[in-house]
Amino acid sequence: MRARLVRTLVTVVALAVIAVAADLGARSWATGRVAQQLRQTYGLDADPRVSVGGGSFLWQAARGRFDDVTVTVDDYATGSLTLQDVRVRLPEVDVPRSVLTGGTGTVDLSGGTLRAQVPFAALARQASVGPLDVELTRAGDAVRASTSVRVFGLGVDLAVTGRPVLDGADVRLEPVSAQLAGASVPLGRAEQLLRAAGYDGLVFPLTGVPAQVRLEDLQVVDSGVVVSGTVLPSAVDVR
């Protein structure tokens, strides 16, 4: 009796190990294929990292729907900008059996959320005009924009501190204070000097953001701003 019980336990454990190994193998193969397709579709420099939650991968594959899918991209070029640490989370992804068996098909992506970081240096390049350069740094929850302007023919340092807000697909600074050559000056005077230097407000376009992404919020961090928003439902053709 005891020997039979031991053999039964060993068999159950062996089957469990085989099932787990099969599940992990299928997960690795499928997420790798999706990563390759995303790289080709969006012109990425490297395969993104794809993870799937929701418990057993094979069970989800059998029903053709995967839960809690996260895609992470280290660098994503959007026009003249490069977004860093881009994370897209999708509650549900529908995958036809043809794709799961190595064929072609259309993967339906449910709406989800997006989070990405935009470095200060990348934003500053968007705002630099002609020979003038803009440098951005963090000032608590605000952003400090520094440049050099001409006053009576001389180059003078001008710094404007403002609250960053999303204006569609642009980051715009709402000025709250300004300094000229280290001394506080009225905002009106700072804005006059900026216009004379070719600036029509401190606006930093986030060009090239995919059409299915709706940016809704931002947060200032030490190295730049973190933008977040929603991802509209879409489809990816797998070939």
Side-chain angles (χ1 to χ4, degrees):
M1 175 67 73
R2 184 176 179 179
R4 189 181 304 119
L5 178 59
V6 170
R7 286 195 298 271
T8 301
L9 290 175
V10 170
T11 301
V12 170
V13 171
L15 290 175
V17 170
I18 293 172
V20 170
D23 196 89
L24 292 175
R27 183 186 299 266
S28 177
W29 180 86
T31 55
R33 188 169 186 229
V34 170
Q36 291 176 357
Q37 185 64 46
L38 290 174
R39 178 180 181 177
Q40 296 174 8
T41 301
Y42 293 101
L44 304 177
D45 293 332
D47 288 350
R49 295 184 296 279
V50 181
S51 64
V52 180
S56 170
F57 184 87
L58 292 176
W59 165 249
Q60 295 181 80
R63 66 176 185 171
R65 172 171 294 180
F66 297 88
D67 298 326
D68 195 15
V69 177
T70 301
V71 179
T72 304
V73 181
D74 291 332
D75 298 291
Y76 177 62
T78 61
S80 58
L81 278 179
T82 296
L83 304 181
Q84 297 181 346
D85 192 23
V86 181
R87 299 184 183 184
V88 176
R89 185 175 181 181
L90 306 169
E92 294 180 353
V93 177
D94 291 331
V95 183
R97 291 183 180 179
S98 59
V99 172
L100 293 173
T101 55
T104 63
T106 300
V107 176
D108 292 319
L109 311 176
S110 67
T113 59
L114 172 140
R115 182 182 185 275
Q117 182 169 317
V118 189
F120 280 139
L123 286 175
R125 285 194 296 269
Q126 296 287 71
S128 297
V129 177
L132 298 182
D133 292 326
V134 176
E135 180 182 2
L136 301 178
T137 54
R138 182 178 185 179
D141 292 332
V143 174
R144 179 184 174 92
S146 304
T147 188
S148 179
V149 295
R150 306 296 292 181
V151 179
F152 299 117
L154 299 176
V156 181
D157 292 335
L158 175 65
V160 177
T161 300
R163 291 185 296 269
V165 296
L166 275 174
D167 185 3
D170 298 334
V171 175
R172 178 170 51 83
L173 288 189
E174 293 184 344
V176 295
S177 65
Q179 289 184 322
L180 184 65
S184 297
V185 295
L187 288 175
R189 175 58 174 160
E191 292 171 351
Q192 182 183 36
L193 291 170
L194 287 173
R195 285 194 296 271
Y199 290 95
D200 186 15
L202 292 169
V203 178
F204 312 91
L206 302 179
T207 58
V209 174
Q212 63 267 36
V213 173
R214 295 290 182 268
L215 299 178
E216 298 169 343
D217 192 24
L218 63 78
Q219 177 185 3
V220 180
V221 296
D222 289 340
S223 57
V225 296
V226 174
V227 294
S228 57
T230 59
V231 180
L232 302 179
S234 60
V236 175
D237 292 329
V238 178
R239 303 188 183 283

